[in-house]
Amino acid sequence: MCAYKYSKLTLDQVRRIHVELTTRCNARCPMCMRNYRGFEYNSGYPDCELSLEQFKHILTPAVLTTIMQQDQEFTGRRGVNFNGNLGDFALAKHAVEIVKYLVEQQVPVSVNTNGSLRTPEWWAQLARPGVQVGFAIDGLADTHSIYRQDTDWHKIINNARAFIAVGGHAVWRFIPFAHNQHQESQCRRLAQDMGFAEFEIIYDGRDSTPVYDRVGNFSHHVGTPMDPVPTLKDMLYSHSTWFDAQTVRSARDAAPLNLRCTHKMNREIYIAADGTVYPCCYLGFYPDTMKHPGNNQIQLLIHQNNALEHDLEHCLTWFDQVEQSWAKESIAAGRLYACVNNCGQS
């Protein structure tokens, strides 16, 4: 059974909005979906971003007032969170102007970034009341780029220093790997010395993977080595096989579903960089273009969800079908794979 009874989340109940401002990124993190581009598993995601004008069109002052309205029943975090599935906030052309617009509307802003782009002066402009920036820093100078490929640790540190120096609320976000976990205490000390407001450990399943170069050749391992080393195409095939196996097993077992939906619990919606709207980022991997496990299921449910073409309230009308799918006996019968995989409880 589900964790709670069905009740559709309407726009006036939304308290937090997750925005992917751009799909562009300077980094090549090996377990990021964008870095399979050009191969069958992840072909077709759009290169795009939301402009200031488009952002204001979707998140009008009236909408922002709605998400910030008094609500004694909601105790979670309000505001706009810039993160997403593919891109980095700092590559968006109008990022600073968009943050300024939100601050003027008295909306709290949180940003997650690799922090390796732009100048220290650019980052200093973001240091406004109500703005929090999480810098992804996975170790010290000798380990950080083992996973965060194509980023510059020294540049990140300088950008963070500039943000903090003018009063910015900075968070050091650290993913522990076998190659950097011995540096956690040093990173904590450095964060404290620099004036970071928080140090956050991120556990998100990125523990182990082979790493490939831009043309698909093996480069090195993160975590436990695989012997023999699979080719990139073998890795992509294994993803597809795993999904098929899970589908078959779910269809056979038809186990009751215990699911805690982050969209419903956080009263959050997700807006992708092309203006399309989804309940959460897990369902927002551009299902009309990307060959991603489970996208064929979600694609059948989506109805007029581009907020550049339709009213934002209207873009939420199909969300009820997502929750209705949980009543299906299995993934094979129509239960959404992304929901089970990301929010299913044991």
Side-chain angles (χ1 to χ4, degrees), residues 12 50 63 87 108 112 132 168 225 227 229 246 248 251 287 295 302 324 334:
D12 66 316
L50 291 171
V63 170
N112 291 305
Q132 172 184 294
D227 186 22
V229 178
Q246 290 294 99
V248 171
N295 277 355
I302 295 172
Q324 289 170 10

Side-chain angles (χ1 to χ4, degrees), residues 111-113 132-141 143-144 153 156-157 160-161 163-164 169-176 180 183-202:
V111 173
N112 291 305
T113 176
Q132 172 184 294
V133 174
F135 292 89
I137 312 176
D138 297 330
L140 300 175
T143 61
H144 169 79
W153 185 88
I156 299 166
I157 294 297
R161 286 188 190 279
F163 176 73
I164 294 168
H169 183 109
V171 179
W172 184 309
R173 306 183 83 239
F174 178 94
I175 298 177
N180 73 354
Q183 296 178 337
E184 180 185 334
S185 60
Q186 292 173 274
C187 290
R188 286 184 180 274
R189 286 196 297 270
L190 179 57
Q192 184 175 16
D193 292 344
M194 288 178 59
F196 276 85
E198 302 174 52
F199 188 96
E200 184 177 336
I201 300 292
I202 307 297

Side-chain angles (χ1 to χ4, degrees), residues 309-320:
E309 302 171 359
H310 306 282
D311 179 83
L312 186 57
E313 178 82 62
H314 181 79
C315 292
L316 276 58
T317 56
W318 61 278
F319 286 10
D320 57 350

Side-chain angles (χ1 to χ4, degrees), residues 199-212:
F199 188 96
E200 184 177 336
I201 300 292
I202 307 297
Y203 298 103
D204 60 359
R206 304 183 191 188
D207 298 320
S208 185
T209 184
V211 181
Y212 305 89

Side-chain angles (χ1 to χ4, degrees), residues 106-265:
Q106 298 183 326
V107 175
V109 175
S110 59
V111 173
N112 291 305
T113 176
N114 67 57
S116 186
L117 288 169
R118 306 287 190 176
T119 64
E121 293 74 21
W122 188 90
W123 287 99
Q125 295 179 71
L126 293 177
R128 304 168 184 271
V131 178
Q132 172 184 294
V133 174
F135 292 89
I137 312 176
D138 297 330
L140 300 175
D142 60 331
T143 61
H144 169 79
S145 296
I146 293 175
Y147 182 77
R148 301 278 174 183
Q149 295 185 100
D150 291 357
T151 66
D152 185 327
W153 185 88
H154 296 284
K155 188 170 184 178
I156 299 166
I157 294 297
N158 287 336
N159 289 338
R161 286 188 190 279
F163 176 73
I164 294 168
V166 291
H169 183 109
V171 179
W172 184 309
R173 306 183 83 239
F174 178 94
I175 298 177
F177 297 98
H179 62 260
N180 73 354
Q181 57 188 4
H182 65 287
Q183 296 178 337
E184 180 185 334
S185 60
Q186 292 173 274
C187 290
R188 286 184 180 274
R189 286 196 297 270
L190 179 57
Q192 184 175 16
D193 292 344
M194 288 178 59
F196 276 85
E198 302 174 52
F199 188 96
E200 184 177 336
I201 300 292
I202 307 297
Y203 298 103
D204 60 359
R206 304 183 191 188
D207 298 320
S208 185
T209 184
V211 181
Y212 305 89
D213 63 19
R214 293 181 183 277
V215 294
N217 297 317
F218 172 75
S219 171
H220 60 277
H221 280 109
V222 168
T224 305
M226 299 179 71
D227 186 22
V229 178
T231 67
L232 177 57
K233 288 187 178 181
D234 286 340
M235 287 292 291
L236 302 184
Y237 177 75
S238 72
H239 279 282
S240 175
T241 303
W242 180 89
F243 175 64
D244 291 343
Q246 290 294 99
T247 301
V248 171
R249 187 168 70 219
S250 179
R252 182 177 64 246
D253 295 344
L257 176 64
N258 179 22
L259 189 150
R260 295 179 64 81
C261 173
T262 56
H263 154 68
K264 295 292 291 293
M265 292 178 64

